[in-house]
Amino acid sequence: MLNFELYNPVNLVFGKGQMEKLSKLIPADAKILLAYGGGSIFANSVHAQVTEALKGYDITEFGGIEPNPRYETLMKAVQLIREKKLDFILAVGGGSVIDGVKFISAAVNFEGDPIDILRKRIRIESNAMPFGTVLTLPATGSEMNSGAVISVESTQEKLTCGGPALFPKFSICDPATVASLPKRQVQNGVIDAFTHVMEQYLTYPHDAILQDRIAESILQTLIEIGPGVAENPADYKLASNFMWCCTMALNGLIQKGVPTDWATHMIGHELTALYGIDHARTLAIIAPSLYKVMFETKKEKLAQYGTRVWNISETDVDKAAKLAIAKTVEFFKTMGMPARVSEYTADYQNTADIIVNRFEERGWRAMGERGNITTDKVREIVEMSY
């Protein structure tokens, strides 16, 4: 097992009726920026619950944070906080809103141009504005980690930021909010969480036995509940297990002591930046192609995954690994995931060139758990995904 440090200070408040605890979680004299997305929190009564729980607080609202939150929008929130001298942020929404608030938290007191947080990947160690979250859309695990992905509209890029100062102070996670979600969003959430686990699990055999078993249990649970919760999001048993899987998939636990990949995400982010494809759907497009292109270095773990998660009985490693990929593709299709870039856009012919050029410019020439996903491999993966 690799050496590791595990730090996660988030106070996770999980279950029905937990919104009433907001006033105990936020300082009584806080001046709050209430940040949210497109307005679904008004339709599902979450906004009413939040404002009722925070009666008497000084609240300024900021709506319109996009899916794949845009730097340009977030900087408007930064300016608003500075003008009104606010001192706490409450993110109410899914991973995009929470990611956006993490960047806002980092940018408010940042000395220098906040774009450098993204372009220079500056780790935020201190001096971030405190924030909490009310999760309404399970998917990214952002409610219990310190990372964020931000879109820069002017250059059509998705860039990351993070650091120990960007953990939420608390996150309220009420699975009842899942009931109002559209089927597409639930499908996306299941596949997002599934692929998060795969990025940390599907590498090569190692000595971290417990991390593998935890990862496999999350995958098995998502396979078991995924189709059902997409069809019936009001089923509390399914919704609560779905929400907890999404959190556990990316709260840092299964990543500790193990090699990780993340190339699927790095490539997928570019498809979202270029074509606006839902994040989870880019992962479903890229992951099977990556497993095939990198088959020789991943086949042992693919075979383990096939045996333990899909109950494949084939003993030949190559055959078991190929069956595991096929089972994964089948599951993605069951969850409503189209498999090709061409199913989203007709203007895809130069996609590989664009992505490879961007990776070359950023110096991303040795990705993956072995550092062997070169830009040539990236080209092959993307072209296989057309």
Side-chain angles (χ1 to χ4, degrees):
M1 192 184 303
L2 304 176
N3 294 353
F4 66 88
E5 294 183 16
L6 177 59
Y7 172 73
N8 195 316
V10 179
N11 178 15
L12 194 84
V13 185
F14 189 98
K16 294 179 182 177
Q18 301 285 30
M19 210 79 75
E20 63 189 31
K21 295 183 179 178
L22 266 174
S23 61
K24 298 182 177 71
L25 295 167
I26 300 176
D29 60 349
K31 297 177 68 176
I32 302 168
L33 181 78
L34 176 58
Y36 50 87
S40 63
I41 64 168
F42 293 92
N44 62 14
S45 82
V46 171
H47 181 272
Q49 293 177 56
V50 168
T51 52
E52 176 64 25
L54 293 178
K55 267 187 176 177
Y57 279 84
D58 183 335
I59 298 174
T60 300
E61 298 196 14
F62 182 85
I65 296 176
E66 307 88 353
N68 308 300
R70 296 175 184 170
Y71 168 81
E72 292 82 358
T73 300
L74 303 177
M75 286 305 298
K76 294 176 184 177
V78 170
Q79 186 62 32
L80 182 61
I81 288 172
R82 290 171 175 169
E83 288 174 357
K84 302 198 73 171
K85 295 181 169 51
L86 309 181
D87 54 23
F88 194 93
I89 314 170
L90 182 64
V92 182
S96 290
V97 172
I98 298 171
D99 276 15
V101 163
K102 287 177 183 176
F103 176 79
I104 295 167
S105 167
V108 168
N109 299 319
F110 185 74
E111 295 182 5
D113 188 343
I115 193 67
D116 288 344
I117 297 171
L118 303 172
R119 295 213 180 282
K120 298 181 180 179
R121 303 183 77 175
I122 294 172
R123 183 175 167 85
I124 306 301
E125 305 274 358
S126 62
N127 209 30
M129 177 166 286
F131 67 95
T133 88
V134 173
L135 180 68
T136 62
L137 171 57
T140 68
S142 195
E143 67 277 3
M144 202 178 180
N145 65 44
S146 61
V149 182
I150 307 300
S151 296
V152 182
E153 186 177 21
S154 61
T155 55
Q156 288 190 302
E157 294 178 281
K158 287 188 75 171
L159 303 172
T160 60
C161 65
L166 297 186
F167 281 104
K169 298 300 180 184
F170 64 83
S171 286
I172 292 178
C173 302
D174 182 350
T177 61
V178 175
S180 63
L181 295 177
K183 181 177 180 179
R184 183 186 181 104
Q185 288 187 326
V186 177
Q187 290 173 326
N188 285 351
V190 170
I191 297 307
D192 201 359
F194 192 93
T195 315
H196 285 158
V197 177
M198 293 290 271
E199 295 275 43
Q200 300 164 91
Y201 168 79
L202 196 68
T203 55
Y204 53 79
H206 51 71
D207 296 332
I209 298 169
L210 179 59
Q211 283 90 324
D212 269 7
R213 292 296 190 185
I214 297 171
E216 289 157 0
S217 70
I218 299 170
L219 296 172
Q220 288 173 316
T221 305
L222 288 168
I223 291 165
E224 178 180 342
I225 68 170
V229 74
E231 293 298 331
N232 186 14
D235 184 313
Y236 188 81
K237 174 183 175 181
L238 297 177
S240 57
N241 281 281
F242 165 46
M243 183 172 274
W244 187 224
C245 279
C246 291
T247 300
M248 286 294 292
L250 203 59
N251 66 1
L253 181 61
I254 64 172
Q255 187 174 17
K256 301 306 178 184
V258 304
T260 60
D261 187 345
W262 297 109
T264 295
H265 272 69
M266 295 166 81
I267 300 170
H269 286 163
E270 301 304 323
L271 296 181
T272 298
L274 289 169
Y275 307 120
I277 304 171
D278 301 8
H279 171 61
R281 290 166 188 259
T282 70
L283 304 179
I285 290 169
I286 294 299
S289 296
L290 186 143
Y291 305 153
K292 291 172 185 176
V293 171
M294 305 308 298
F295 185 82
E296 286 303 315
T297 59
K298 286 184 177 286
K299 64 182 180 182
E300 287 83 7
K301 202 60 177 286
L302 276 164
Q304 176 183 311
Y305 158 68
T307 299
R308 294 186 182 181
V309 174
W310 292 108
N311 299 314
I312 291 169
S313 58
E314 175 60 62
T315 56
D316 181 86
V317 169
D318 284 50
K319 291 179 181 178
K322 289 175 182 176
L323 286 170
I325 296 173
K327 283 285 190 181
T328 306
V329 172
E330 182 182 332
F331 176 60
F332 288 174
K333 288 181 178 177
T334 299
M335 293 307 302
M337 298 289 123
R340 299 283 173 189
V341 178
S342 55
E343 295 178 63
Y344 294 92
T345 177
D347 187 24
Y348 62 84
Q349 291 83 0
N350 296 324
T351 303
D353 290 336
I354 296 169
I355 294 176
V356 166
N357 288 340
R358 288 183 171 187
F359 285 11
E360 290 281 3
E361 289 171 1
R362 296 174 193 156
W364 296 359
R365 300 184 182 93
M367 295 170 289
E369 67 273 12
R370 296 181 189 270
N372 61 350
I373 301 181
T374 62
T375 49
D376 286 342
K377 294 293 186 184
V378 170
R379 181 182 299 281
E380 189 177 350
I381 292 163
V382 175
E383 290 179 346
M384 185 181 288
S385 304
Y386 285 169

